[in-house]
């Protein structure tokens, strides 16, 4: 049995897919963004506790939950880089301080 070399051309690399290193880098910077949002949300919460009635409301709790879900989305974006996960990470991070300001 003889084998003949294949005459098929070598397939070109897929250039239409998302660049995974860039998405992972954006997710890593997103975790730093979440840390900054956590500090800012904590400052808002402490300011509300001193100036307000001394207890956190529903929106403050929702702000911290938003940051926690953003961290989960960020870690998931590091493991499996998808543009939707990175977008969700940044949106949830920005929602944390905004929700705390609403209280």
């Amino acid at each position: 049995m003889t084998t003949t070399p294949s005459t098929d051309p070598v397939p070109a690399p897929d250039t239409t897919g998302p660049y995974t290193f860039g998405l992972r880098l954006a997710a890593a910077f997103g975790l730093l963004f979440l840390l900054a949002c956590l500090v800012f949300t904590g400052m808002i919460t402490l300011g509300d506790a001193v100036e307000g009635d001394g207890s956190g409301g529903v929106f403050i709790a929702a702000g911290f939950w938003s940051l926690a879900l953003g961290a989960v989305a960020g870690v998931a974006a590091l493991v499996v880089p998808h543009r939707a996960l990175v977008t969700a990470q940044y949106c949830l991070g920005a929602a944390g301080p905004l929700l705390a300001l609403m209280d």
Side-chain angles (χ1 to χ4, degrees), residues 26 37 40 55 57 69 74 85 87-88 92 98 103:
C37 288
F40 192 56
S55 65
L69 291 175
L85 285 172
T87 304
L92 288 168
L98 291 177
D103 189 39

Side-chain angles (χ1 to χ4, degrees), residues 17-47:
Y19 189 54
T20 58
F21 179 72
L23 288 174
R24 284 193 171 121
L25 191 63
F29 282 122
L31 290 175
L32 293 175
F33 174 71
L34 282 169
L35 182 64
C37 288
L38 177 66
V39 169
F40 192 56
T41 305
M43 288 175 16
I44 293 169
T45 303
L46 290 176

Side-chain angles (χ1 to χ4, degrees), residues 5-103:
S6 175
T7 58
D8 294 335
V10 177
D14 183 21
T15 58
T16 60
Y19 189 54
T20 58
F21 179 72
L23 288 174
R24 284 193 171 121
L25 191 63
F29 282 122
L31 290 175
L32 293 175
F33 174 71
L34 282 169
L35 182 64
C37 288
L38 177 66
V39 169
F40 192 56
T41 305
M43 288 175 16
I44 293 169
T45 303
L46 290 176
D48 184 54
V50 170
E51 295 172 2
D53 59 356
S55 65
V58 175
F59 286 114
I60 288 179
F64 282 113
W65 273 106
S66 173
L67 291 172
L69 291 175
V72 170
V75 170
L78 281 174
V79 175
V80 182
H82 287 290
R83 186 176 303 156
L85 285 172
V86 175
T87 304
Q89 176 189 14
Y90 280 96
C91 289
L92 288 168
L98 291 177
L99 285 169
L101 281 172
M102 291 174 64
D103 189 39

